[in-house]
Amino acid sequence: MSNLKAISGYDRYLFHEGRHFRSYRMLGAQQGERAGVKGVRFAVWAPNAREVMVVGDFNGWSGEDKMRRLKSSGIWELFVPGLEPGALYKYQIVSAAGDVREKADPYAFWAEVRPLSASRVFGLDGYRWGDSQWQGGERLTGGVNKPMAIYEVHLGSWRRKTDGSFYSYRELADELSDYAADMGFTHLELLPVAEHPFDASWGYQATGYYAPTSRYGSPDDFKYFVDRCHQKGLGVILDWVPGHFCKDDHGLRMFDGSPLFESGWPARAENQGWGTLNFDFGKPEVWSFLISNAMYWFDIFHIDGLRVDAVANMIYLDYGRQEGGEWLPNEHGGRENLDAIAFLKKLNEAVHYYYPRALVIAEESTAWPLVSRPVYLGGLGFDYKWNMGWMNDTLRYVSLDPIHRQWEHRLLTFSLLYAFSENFLLPLSHDEVVHGKKSLLDKMPGDYWQKFANLRAFFGYFMAHPGKKLLFMGGEFGQFSEWYEGRGLDWLLLEYELHSKLHGFTRELVRFYRDDSCLWENDDNWRGFEWIDCHDSRQSVISFLRRADNDEHTVVVTNFTPVVRHGYRIGVPEAGSYREVLNSDRAEFGGSGVTNDELRAEPQAWHSQPFSVVLTVPPLATVYIKREAMREE
């Protein structure tokens, strides 16, 4: 057990400067020994408090254990001997005005199961990891020249037990990791696991930033989950919410009787659209709290990446706000949140300094430039940016009746005007299958068969378009109802033929994507993409090439109408025999079975290519074609 030294002046200095990136080792409930006595050192930042006490089940929740304020600091400290892991505690804080409130520890590593809200003492370093191979370099890094197919999951509703209760982290560790690995996904992305009081917030309104939610088990159970994923070859990305927090009384709001983590200006603090409070990025201690939290998930839980939620809300002071008093401009009169921008840059610099292979992904929905470019080049420093424009355009397009798609062809082609301005990730996320938006399958027009055909065609196009991939759970087998966090997915649908065949198609598609370097090796530049024909709006057919570094190419053709296109000629770059390598209309996938045998390239120039092939394009389908010699090589 470690020796609990006094909190040093240098630690306090770094914390108050916003540069203590391991402040979770200083604050919170730290187990160890002091003068040979085992116990717990409690430490909390509460600069405007008149008095702070530790209350818990070990002292009858009385205020007898008073903390002392460290010199020239807003940090309070107390060593309590004899405490064991699992002990419950809170901080009882007397404000400058004399008000008394009980608060959960902002740095608590574990919490009670909601609706209870006390913090729990927990030791961080007792788990024995088994992912040395993964950490040693065998993992998929998710770099721009690597495949990345992410399966987005809400742990509480991927599956539920027959009595409606949750699967635990350890149960999910086996079932979910086996399933995702079998499907061919490279990463799991988890909706936020930080402790949160309200199930329907999905974790996006947190109270315990350092506590994996106790709904599914202990912090060590969550470590086991990540460990098991790594052993199955899956990276783990966490959704992370550094922009705002919920207002529950036991959380961060008015923590020491004053607006501490939030701004003192209501126009800056209040997030009326979400009913939350924005972090005040003008306070260096908030930087230490949040950047340390990012490091904590990498250090302690071996995660592989963070998806940063609602970046637009952070970088724009007027995001979701009306003119006339709802927001305050910056010191230059602009709407940019200069403090938040500086914070994001420092966050990404720090994470990538300590974890060069880490992924930090921005959910950013505006035209802010250079989101995924390094800080030293003037960017925000993220590795990837969600391509919300592509998502909105294509989902709008595929929701149209095919007879109307010819008039909206630009929705398919516009994304290539900016496809390489950022390192993009294409998201088909949870946000697109809730609140009346319908499930992916139910968005598709037409009769029962056409809905499935549309979705398979769309998935084929999605996997071939430049950018990394993300698919929310349930989409892979055609969940018909919208996602609802209060129940598990409708796995019984796999007993029905078209759902089962769609599931098989998704598995083969994801695996093909991983195996075909043409689809990901040049995701960030024009070398990897070339239009064959982007102009056939009348027939709603698009065709393009994806290229690997060695000039191997994959031809992609998608027909977004239910009409078979016979004798359809497309240009190809080389002579030789071409063959279908994937066709979403194959009968085994639930299609009509319109396929092509060997295709011989003719020396007839077409579509600005020196050769061409003539094929039959199946209805509502995507076809991948490769030159036979390439396949043999």
Side-chain angles (χ1 to χ4, degrees):
M1 186 167 285
S2 62
N3 183 30
L4 290 172
K5 299 178 181 178
I7 296 174
S8 71
Y10 184 61
D11 277 331
R12 300 199 301 271
Y13 168 78
L14 288 178
F15 179 74
H16 294 307
E17 286 288 305
R19 294 188 289 115
H20 200 313
F21 300 152
R22 300 294 193 290
S23 61
Y24 67 86
R25 293 291 189 183
M26 175 181 76
L27 299 176
Q30 305 290 336
Q31 291 181 275
E33 294 183 356
R34 180 169 286 183
V37 177
K38 293 182 180 179
V40 174
R41 185 193 70 200
F42 294 95
V44 63
W45 176 54
N48 301 304
R50 181 193 299 176
E51 197 172 20
V52 183
M53 286 73 72
V54 180
V55 298
D57 58 359
F58 50 88
N59 63 11
W61 300 95
S62 70
E64 63 188 48
D65 288 319
K66 295 185 178 182
M67 306 182 78
R68 67 182 184 93
R69 183 169 184 154
L70 301 183
K71 185 178 179 181
S72 302
S73 175
I75 295 173
W76 300 73
E77 182 194 38
L78 176 69
F79 178 78
V80 178
L83 289 192
E84 297 293 333
L88 298 173
Y89 72 98
K90 282 188 175 182
Y91 296 118
Q92 189 177 87
I93 297 174
V94 181
S95 72
D99 300 323
V100 180
R101 62 194 69 219
E102 288 188 356
K103 292 287 190 177
D105 187 350
Y107 283 83
F109 304 135
W110 196 16
E112 285 187 291
V113 179
R114 53 87 179 98
L116 302 176
S117 58
S119 303
R120 286 184 178 274
V121 172
F122 191 84
L124 293 178
D125 303 318
Y127 182 82
R128 296 184 64 180
W129 287 88
D131 65 346
S132 57
Q133 271 190 309
W134 179 268
Q135 296 296 333
E138 291 194 3
R139 57 179 165 171
L140 291 165
T141 63
V144 291
N145 62 344
K146 299 291 184 182
M148 183 156 52
I150 301 169
Y151 188 51
E152 188 189 30
V153 174
H154 176 256
L155 292 178
S157 59
W158 182 68
R159 287 189 190 274
R160 285 283 181 95
K161 296 181 180 179
T162 54
D163 63 358
S165 61
F166 296 126
Y167 277 67
S168 70
Y169 289 125
R170 287 182 179 266
E171 290 167 330
L172 288 164
D174 296 323
E175 291 205 25
L176 177 53
S177 66
D178 286 347
Y179 174 82
D182 177 67
M183 290 296 293
F185 291 104
T186 62
H187 296 75
L188 291 177
E189 182 175 317
L190 308 181
L191 271 63
V193 300
E195 193 59 82
H196 53 284
F198 185 42
D199 288 11
S201 78
W202 312 331
Y204 290 97
Q205 297 183 12
T207 50
Y209 274 74
Y210 287 81
T213 178
S214 52
R215 288 166 173 81
Y216 319 123
S218 72
D220 278 354
D221 294 335
F222 184 60
K223 292 176 187 177
Y224 178 85
F225 174 87
V226 177
D227 200 357
R228 173 69 174 171
C229 288
H230 287 171
Q231 291 171 37
K232 296 294 291 186
L234 291 163
V236 178
I237 300 167
L238 295 187
D239 277 13
W240 186 57
V241 191
H244 62 114
F245 55 90
C246 69
K247 294 182 176 182
D248 290 56
D249 284 342
H250 67 280
L252 300 178
R253 175 180 174 270
M254 298 290 288
F255 185 77
D256 62 358
S258 69
L260 187 63
F261 289 89
E262 69 273 29
S263 171
W265 294 92
R268 291 276 176 90
E270 290 289 340
N271 195 318
Q272 295 177 1
W274 295 330
T276 56
L277 291 170
N278 295 318
F279 279 104
D280 183 356
F281 294 105
K283 294 173 181 169
E285 294 88 354
V286 170
W287 284 38
S288 289
F289 174 76
L290 289 171
I291 296 177
S292 290
N293 185 240
M295 294 298 181
Y296 171 77
W297 295 107
F298 288 104
D299 291 347
I300 304 301
F301 294 96
H302 290 199
I303 67 156
D304 302 281
L306 294 169
R307 176 268 203 182
V308 181
D309 182 64
V311 170
N313 175 66
M314 297 173 67
I315 62 179
Y316 288 108
L317 294 166
D318 64 344
Y319 184 85
R321 298 165 185 252
Q322 301 297 320
E323 296 286 349
E326 283 197 11
W327 64 280
L328 295 175
N330 63 34
E331 63 222 56
H332 306 297
R335 63 194 187 103
E336 299 82 9
N337 189 334
L338 303 179
D339 293 325
I341 293 163
F343 163 78
L344 289 171
K345 291 180 177 181
K346 179 55 67 178
L347 164 74
N348 285 316
E349 285 181 328
V351 169
H352 290 118
Y353 176 81
Y354 290 103
Y355 292 96
R357 294 189 296 178
L359 298 171
V360 189
I361 302 165
E363 188 226 7
E364 204 286 312
S365 56
T366 74
W368 187 278
L370 306 178
V371 171
S372 58
R373 296 295 182 262
V375 173
Y376 64 81
L377 294 179
L380 291 183
F382 289 95
D383 297 283
Y384 291 98
K385 172 181 173 175
W386 274 25
N387 193 335
M388 310 292 276
W390 171 89
M391 178 271 296
N392 285 314
D393 286 350
T394 54
L395 288 182
R396 179 182 164 196
Y397 179 86
V398 297
S399 298
L400 295 169
D401 187 295
I403 199 170
H404 300 304
R405 288 174 176 170
Q406 61 181 308
W407 312 114
E408 303 292 342
H409 199 69
R410 70 188 184 282
L411 295 174
L412 286 180
T413 59
F414 180 68
S415 61
L416 268 301
L417 294 179
Y418 61 86
F420 309 117
S421 61
E422 300 275 5
N423 296 331
F424 278 121
L425 186 151
L426 310 183
L428 297 176
S429 77
H430 65 280
D431 277 329
E432 309 317 312
V433 294
V434 290
H435 303 323
K437 296 179 183 178
K438 301 183 178 181
S439 68
L440 289 181
L441 182 62
D442 203 23
K443 290 180 194 289
M444 303 298 146
D447 60 24
Y448 185 71
W449 183 90
Q450 288 179 341
K451 283 181 176 292
F452 283 91
N454 267 293
L455 188 56
R456 291 193 307 271
F458 175 54
F459 279 174
Y461 155 79
F462 160 62
M463 281 291 173
H465 189 286
K468 307 310 180 187
K469 323 298 177 189
L470 179 142
L471 178 64
F472 184 58
M473 64 183 196
E476 74 274 17
F477 63 81
Q479 174 90 2
F480 240 125
S481 59
E482 284 189 340
W483 171 57
Y484 170 55
E485 79 284 342
R487 66 166 186 263
L489 297 178
D490 296 329
W491 293 101
L492 59 86
L493 291 175
L494 288 175
E495 298 175 11
Y496 295 84
E497 181 181 12
L498 284 182
H499 290 278
S500 177
K501 289 184 173 181
L502 171 62
H503 191 241
F505 170 71
T506 306
R507 180 191 291 111
E508 184 157 336
L509 178 64
V510 174
R511 288 178 172 274
F512 182 89
Y513 162 79
R514 284 186 61 166
D515 291 341
D516 187 7
S517 58
C518 297
L519 299 183
W520 41 260
E521 203 162 54
N522 287 291
D523 254 349
D524 63 337
N525 63 79
W526 279 105
R527 176 176 170 78
F529 179 91
E530 182 180 352
W531 282 114
I532 295 175
D533 186 7
C534 62
H535 300 296
D536 193 1
S537 59
R538 186 177 63 83
Q539 299 187 92
S540 298
V541 177
I542 58 169
S543 52
F544 54 87
L545 295 171
R546 295 300 311 275
R547 276 201 177 88
D549 282 338
N550 63 0
D551 276 339
E552 179 184 344
H553 59 273
T554 299
V555 178
V556 181
V557 184
T558 302
N559 178 7
F560 284 104
T561 71
V563 179
V564 180
R565 305 297 180 186
H566 296 282
Y568 195 88
R569 184 179 293 273
I570 60 169
V572 293
E574 296 183 30
S577 295
Y578 284 76
R579 188 174 298 277
E580 283 184 355
V581 289
L582 194 71
N583 182 338
S584 70
D585 194 52
R586 277 167 28 193
E588 68 190 87
F589 300 142
S592 63
V594 176
T595 60
N596 292 270
D597 295 325
E598 182 180 353
L599 301 166
R600 192 73 188 174
E602 302 172 5
Q604 181 174 349
W606 206 259
H607 293 142
S608 301
Q609 301 290 342
F611 301 92
S612 57
V613 297
V614 177
L615 66 153
T616 301
V617 184
L620 293 173
T622 294
V623 178
Y624 296 169
I625 299 167
K626 293 185 84 70
R627 191 165 66 88
E628 192 67 17
M630 290 182 178
R631 296 179 71 244
E632 292 171 358
E633 291 165 8

